[in-house]
Amino acid sequence: MILDLDIGNTLSKWRLKDVASSEIRSRGAVWTREEWRPGADIPDLDVVEAVRISSVARESVLRDTVTLLRRQVGVVHVARSTPEALGVSCGYDEPGRLGVDRWMGVLAGYQLTGGCCSVDCGSAITMDFVLPGGRHLGGYIIPGLRLMKESLKLGTRNVAIDPDSEADELLAPGRNTVEAVNHGIYMSAVSAVNRIYSEVCDREGVALPLLLTGGDARVVSRGLRIPHAVWPDMVYAGLETCYPLTAAERAGRLAGAPLPPPVPPLEKVRAGLAFSMLL
């Protein structure tokens, strides 16, 4: 089995992948601050042959996790953001400072589409752009849905937005304080993604496939005007591209990869942007 880890500042997600079949056998998540020990929420390391890690947690958390895993697992791969990888050149002035989860998303998106806008809807909403040919432009970071609610100092009770809610409902004026807050932060998030995507495509003269991942991807997806695909395993897919360990991965078949979304004509993107600037 392969153990893939996506370690965040708050939550660490994991999955077990069968080496022979390349099938996902199980998934889970633990709080990052908890000690990594096999138990009810953590896989049995005795069945693990190799580990692949993407971590944005403190370096001490990553170091302790790697030390523990290397006592029981022979192969441990730790992803890092680099100036260049797999045909993509990093747009950051200091590539090592780009969050490795964003870098994994960029690499996975590029392998799937040959140029894309990758959006990770987590605690923060991050947007990264990579052009056909592999030039990563850099990106944007805006507060995520929960972070925006916390910034209003109204606490987190009743903040959760039902991912099955209809976009028309979420974009309507709220009829009580909880609704007003939830609908306001939702409007802020989806408006930012729509506008940023259109502005960058207009400036660069190319419309790009749009890919979403992260815990709030489903709900953000409902408010976007741009054709897109949701790819929950996009960060894991980046690990697969960097450290292919199965026959399917070496053949370029990435876990859970969606069909590349249709790309709107650039003229349509520009027309929508021009209309929004008139409002």
Side-chain angles (χ1 to χ4, degrees):
M1 291 288 181
I2 302 164
L3 173 61
D4 289 323
L5 292 177
D6 178 8
I7 303 175
N9 289 306
T10 304
L11 198 66
S12 295
K13 295 174 286 185
W14 61 266
R15 71 175 191 184
L16 278 178
K17 187 174 189 182
D18 189 279
V19 175
S21 67
S22 209
E23 294 179 359
I24 307 304
R25 297 299 187 186
S26 59
R27 299 175 181 270
V30 295
W31 296 111
T32 297
R33 293 179 180 84
E34 291 180 359
E35 191 174 9
W36 185 268
R37 298 289 182 188
D41 298 321
I42 298 176
D44 182 1
L45 296 179
D46 290 339
V47 303
V48 175
E49 304 170 39
V51 180
R52 300 180 290 204
I53 302 174
S54 167
S55 175
V56 295
R58 297 189 311 274
E59 192 64 31
S60 61
V61 172
L62 175 61
R63 183 176 61 250
D64 292 346
T65 302
V66 169
T67 298
L68 185 147
L69 290 171
R70 281 186 171 149
R71 292 179 192 148
Q72 297 182 253
V73 182
V75 179
V76 179
H77 298 289
V78 179
R80 303 284 186 183
S81 298
T82 57
E84 188 279 336
L86 303 171
V88 179
S89 58
C90 182
Y92 259 35
D93 295 331
E94 298 180 64
R97 292 186 176 274
L98 175 66
V100 70
D101 54 344
R102 292 170 58 193
W103 187 232
M104 292 298 100
V106 164
L107 295 179
Y110 185 71
Q111 298 310 303
L112 181 70
T113 65
C116 69
C117 170
S118 61
V119 182
D120 194 329
C121 305
S123 300
I125 295 175
T126 64
M127 298 182 66
D128 282 272
F129 292 83
V130 57
L131 299 179
R135 183 165 67 93
H136 172 235
L137 300 177
Y140 301 81
I141 301 174
I142 61 177
L145 302 181
R146 290 167 180 78
L147 194 57
M148 279 194 267
K149 172 64 181 290
E150 291 170 4
S151 73
L152 294 175
K153 302 188 184 301
L154 296 174
T156 56
R157 183 174 298 175
N158 297 322
V159 66
I161 297 173
D162 183 354
D164 295 322
S165 298
E166 293 297 329
D168 288 348
E169 173 191 337
L170 291 170
L171 294 173
R175 291 177 292 180
N176 56 60
T177 299
V178 169
E179 281 190 359
V181 169
N182 283 346
H183 295 193
I185 62 177
Y186 183 73
M187 177 72 86
S188 297
V190 298
S191 297
V193 174
N194 281 319
R195 182 63 178 266
I196 290 170
Y197 173 87
S198 299
E199 290 275 5
V200 173
C201 289
D202 176 48
R203 185 170 62 247
E204 297 298 326
V206 59
L208 297 168
L210 180 63
L211 300 168
L212 271 67
T213 194
D216 288 324
R218 283 179 59 206
V219 66
V220 171
S221 166
R222 289 178 173 268
L224 298 184
R225 299 192 302 267
I226 309 146
H228 60 276
V230 176
W231 190 0
D233 277 8
M234 190 157 67
V235 173
Y236 290 140
L239 290 171
E240 292 174 350
T241 63
C242 290
Y243 310 104
L245 299 176
T246 72
E249 292 171 359
R250 288 189 286 271
R253 295 194 294 274
L254 304 177
L259 292 174
V263 180
L266 182 59
E267 293 76 14
K268 185 175 181 180
V269 173
R270 284 174 165 163
L273 177 62
F275 178 76
S276 69
M277 293 176 70
L278 290 173
L279 299 178

